Amino acid sequence: MRNKGLAMPYVAWMAIFVVAPLILVLIYAFHNGSSFTLENFRAMGTYAAVFGRSFLLAAIATLICILIGYPVAWFLAREGPGLRRIATIVIMLPMWMNFLLQTYSWMSILENTGLLNTLFQKIGLIALVNGLFGTDFTYFPMINTRGAIVLGMVYNYLPFMILPIFTVIEKIDPRLIEAAQDLGASSAVVFRRLIFPLSVPGILSGVTMVFVPSVATFAISRLLGGGMVTLLGDLIETQFLGGSYNPYLGSAISLVMMAIVLISMAVMNRFGEGEEEAMLL
Amino acid sequence: MRKNHFGNRLLLALTFVFLYAPIFVLIFFSFNATKSRTVWGGFSLQWYVRLFQDDAILSALRTTLLVSVLASLIAMVAGTAAAMGFAAMKRRSRHTLMSINNIPLTNADIVTGVSLSLLFMLAIGAFNATIGKAAGITLAKGFGTMLIAHVTFDIPYVILSVMPRLRQLDPHIYEAAQDLGARGFYAFRKVILPDLMPGIVNGTIIAFTMSVDDFVISYFTAGNKVSTLAMEVYSMARRKISPEINAISTLLFISVLALLVIVNLRQTRQNSAMRRQRAALTPKT
């Protein structure tokens, strides 16, 4: 039973397939194919706008996920056990289909001749807006905008915000709440002084699970941004598989992105003093 | 806690509508008679018929399922073993190894994908230039490299869900089993494994989900000869997506739904059976 040897194959596996690849990224970032250099990082200035845009869009998506996800998790935790169980399954179910299938579906919803625009036309919304503001839209441009990308991020990662918050709130001992109420706390005070502070680990865990994939996405921006909006993920992807093949620069961009993400996570965790880990499921 | 009133429930309902709207759009237009994915042209099953004649999509589906099943099963065994090994370690080394274990979880997918693709590129290049050249074998990225990548990001999920179970385990039970004459693996199978089972099953299911849902890591590690369903959709999106994709999404959704319903019904039945059993066993007062 107490056998450390059982872990050895996996330790070797991690050394080869987790640690070594990251060391390679580190080496490549400081290399140009023939010698060690810093030129990859000097080139980074050109991409400052892409960095800014990626982090901004990801931050907006994360914020929207909190604003929707927190109330949803909180209301859900107050439902009966049967409904709670069904609701968790219902939230997880879309994750079982590949996210690209759903992102593709959003394309048909948001297109210029897509479902939403057809609906807006049918109910006269487009004519109304044109009449009110003197514009002449034949459709509302929704696809290939930054808004569409943020929508795609929110849609794909919202469950990753709801579930950890829900798990944490659900675990709060109801006797704590009763005790607070017995001592005369109103619902607002119970929420502000008790439930919210106790649910912070869930929020932090949700933020990590939404923000990190949002910063690095390239499929969502390619499908819903139509290649008009370049994000960090697109930039890295083109360095490795796309037209401008340069794995050295790609590694450097990945490294800087990773560093910024790690630093912001560390700051956030310090700020939230999130000792406890709230895991998905 | 106070119950929800109407407004709160409305928010829940709206969120579910938001989460399911694209799925219902996919399903609805899979029955469309025309090629359009936004204009309804009448009911037809033609996309389902064509789907089963489309080798590219079918083989992508096969690849997706195969890599997910294989990777999650390998992760199930390797992850459980690794978790047990970790549990036997001293606090410090366990802590270090768990931090490394968490890297693929916290890292952005694209970084995992890119770093592994660098490793595969160099390893395959080195092999082809030496042993491969001598033996006349040329390796390339493909299903194997993609499977390695999937195993690498699946194992951490199994470990994370088995670890808490191991911590709750009473070490004396295993000793008691041995005292009663059960040896090594038999004692493990009969005594430890049943306690770990929920964690193992849960971890394997999460691992499978992550594999099915993955696009980015597969995209960077699969090379250009094999492709998963997501990669197929992604490459189609640049051209024109065929409504066959709607048809296959519908089939996937229905199978997942059916699976969940079956699992849940079984669980409910088991629970009520257990409750009845317990009620029968407790003496009435």
Side-chain angles (χ1 to χ4, degrees):
Chain A
M1 170 61 194
R2 306 230 124 230
N3 189 353
K4 289 181 217 169
L6 282 171
M8 284 315 143
Y10 180 54
V11 172
W13 183 279
M14 284 199 295
I16 302 172
F17 294 114
V18 178
V19 179
L22 289 176
I23 293 174
L24 281 179
V25 170
L26 191 67
I27 295 173
Y28 264 61
F30 290 97
H31 212 273
N32 63 2
S34 49
S35 62
F36 282 98
T37 168
L38 284 174
E39 69 185 51
N40 295 325
F41 294 95
R42 278 191 218 111
M44 210 70 71
T46 336
Y47 303 113
V50 183
F51 272 92
R53 193 183 305 139
S54 284
F55 279 88
L56 180 68
L57 293 188
I60 294 173
T62 310
L63 192 66
I64 296 175
C65 279
I66 297 178
L67 292 178
I68 303 175
Y70 196 94
V72 167
W74 161 231
F75 297 150
L76 213 55
R78 303 203 302 180
E79 295 287 350
L83 195 71
R84 267 202 317 246
R85 215 161 74 99
I86 294 171
T88 341
I89 294 170
V90 168
I91 291 172
M92 279 175 51
L93 188 53
M95 287 155 66
W96 281 50
M97 278 168 72
N98 194 284
F99 75 99
L100 271 190
L101 295 172
Q102 295 149 47
T103 307
Y104 147 66
S105 181
W106 276 110
M107 288 169 72
S108 32
I109 298 177
L110 297 176
E111 269 174 348
N112 295 343
T113 54
L115 295 172
L116 268 183
N117 269 320
T118 315
L119 177 75
F120 290 157
Q121 202 165 26
K122 287 256 165 68
I123 61 173
L125 190 67
I126 294 181
L128 182 73
V129 168
N130 284 341
L132 279 179
F133 301 103
T135 48
D136 48 50
F137 285 120
T138 44
Y139 54 80
F140 292 132
M142 288 182 285
I143 192 98
N144 301 348
T145 60
R146 293 174 186 201
I149 297 177
V150 171
L151 176 85
M153 292 171 176
V154 170
Y155 176 81
N156 277 308
Y157 306 125
L158 184 60
F160 294 98
M161 182 66 81
I162 298 177
L163 289 175
I165 298 178
F166 172 72
T167 316
V168 174
I169 296 183
E170 206 189 16
K171 278 199 193 121
I172 295 176
D173 191 341
R175 285 173 300 183
L176 269 179
I177 296 165
E178 282 161 23
Q181 284 167 339
D182 287 347
L183 293 170
S186 65
S187 322
V189 172
V190 168
F191 180 78
R192 198 160 42 91
R193 301 285 298 273
L194 191 72
I195 292 169
F196 185 76
L198 284 176
S199 58
V200 166
I203 302 177
L204 292 180
S205 153
V207 166
T208 316
M209 288 202 278
V210 174
F211 185 73
V212 175
S214 297
V215 161
T217 187
F218 71 95
I220 296 176
S221 54
R222 195 67 58 82
L223 260 57
L224 296 178
M228 318 291 267
V229 186
T230 310
L231 296 187
L232 276 176
D234 304 283
L235 202 57
I236 297 171
E237 192 257 345
T238 47
Q239 307 303 327
F240 281 91
L241 296 173
S244 52
Y245 182 74
N246 185 352
Y248 306 100
L249 180 60
S251 296
I253 299 170
S254 312
L255 197 67
V256 173
M257 180 180 83
M258 226 161 40
I260 299 179
V261 166
L262 282 179
I263 291 168
S264 26
M265 292 302 143
V267 169
M268 191 185 73
N269 282 325
R270 177 64 52 81
F271 174 70
E273 287 169 305
E275 278 290 309
E276 257 176 284
E277 254 182 88
M279 271 305 298
L280 173 66
L281 295 173
Chain B
M1 274 191 263
R2 261 196 327 189
K3 280 278 157 215
N4 287 317
H5 37 75
F6 177 73
N8 298 353
R9 287 229 164 112
L10 186 71
L11 178 80
L12 291 182
L14 283 177
T15 309
F16 290 136
V17 169
F18 173 63
L19 285 177
Y20 280 84
I23 296 176
F24 288 130
V25 168
L26 278 176
I27 294 176
F28 186 72
F29 281 97
S30 74
F31 298 109
N32 200 357
T34 63
K35 206 175 159 66
S36 168
R37 42 172 219 239
T38 50
V39 183
W40 180 245
F43 181 86
S44 136
L45 286 174
Q46 60 160 323
W47 302 115
Y48 290 87
V49 177
R50 293 216 195 163
L51 170 67
F52 286 103
Q53 297 159 348
D54 190 327
D55 286 334
I57 296 182
L58 287 182
S59 93
L61 177 67
R62 255 196 310 273
T63 308
T64 307
L65 292 179
L66 194 63
V67 79
S68 307
V69 169
L70 281 179
S72 51
L73 288 181
I74 296 172
M76 176 179 86
V77 178
T80 308
M84 292 179 63
F86 283 175
M89 286 176 183
K90 290 211 182 63
R91 194 192 182 88
R92 234 178 104 170
S93 37
R94 186 176 62 216
H95 206 79
T96 317
L97 288 173
M98 280 305 278
S99 311
I100 301 175
N101 178 60
N102 287 343
I103 290 178
L105 301 182
T106 39
N107 234 340
D109 279 357
I110 197 168
V111 177
T112 307
V114 156
S115 66
L116 278 168
S117 89
L118 278 181
L119 178 80
F120 292 144
M121 190 183 77
L122 292 179
I124 289 171
F127 177 87
N128 286 345
T130 53
I131 308 171
K133 204 171 182 184
I137 310 168
T138 324
L139 291 182
K141 281 199 285 188
F143 188 81
T145 46
M146 180 166 69
L147 182 62
I148 292 176
H150 276 245
V151 170
T152 306
F153 74 76
D154 276 351
I155 292 179
Y157 291 103
V158 177
I159 292 185
L160 279 185
S161 69
V162 174
M163 271 306 227
R165 287 264 157 192
L166 273 169
R167 228 170 283 144
Q168 290 164 8
L169 214 62
D170 185 350
H172 301 302
I173 297 179
Y174 184 69
E175 286 159 20
Q178 285 183 319
D179 287 346
L180 292 170
R183 282 185 195 281
F185 189 71
Y186 182 80
F188 166 75
R189 194 163 55 89
K190 286 288 181 187
V191 178
I192 309 285
L193 204 55
D195 267 352
L196 297 185
M197 220 42 192
I200 297 175
V201 170
N202 205 4
T204 311
I205 291 175
I206 303 174
F208 181 79
T209 314
M210 291 301 159
S211 275
V212 172
D213 203 39
D214 173 67
F215 160 69
V216 177
I217 296 174
S218 307
Y219 180 73
F220 279 104
T221 54
N224 42 23
K225 275 192 262 66
V226 286
S227 68
T228 62
L229 200 55
M231 289 161 73
E232 198 66 29
V233 173
Y234 183 73
S235 70
M236 269 188 186
R238 297 175 174 185
R239 302 173 260 129
K240 182 86 186 150
I241 299 185
S242 155
E244 289 163 30
I245 293 294
N246 295 58
I248 201 166
S249 309
T250 307
L251 294 179
L252 278 177
F253 182 75
I254 290 170
S255 4
V256 170
L257 197 64
L259 212 69
L260 275 176
V261 169
I262 293 169
V263 168
N264 271 290
L265 281 182
R266 258 193 54 195
Q267 223 160 32
T268 323
R269 209 172 302 150
Q270 267 172 0
N271 285 349
S272 58
M274 232 156 75
R275 227 173 293 131
R276 243 177 288 134
Q277 213 174 16
R278 211 171 289 151
L281 285 175
T282 35
K284 293 199 175 70
T285 45

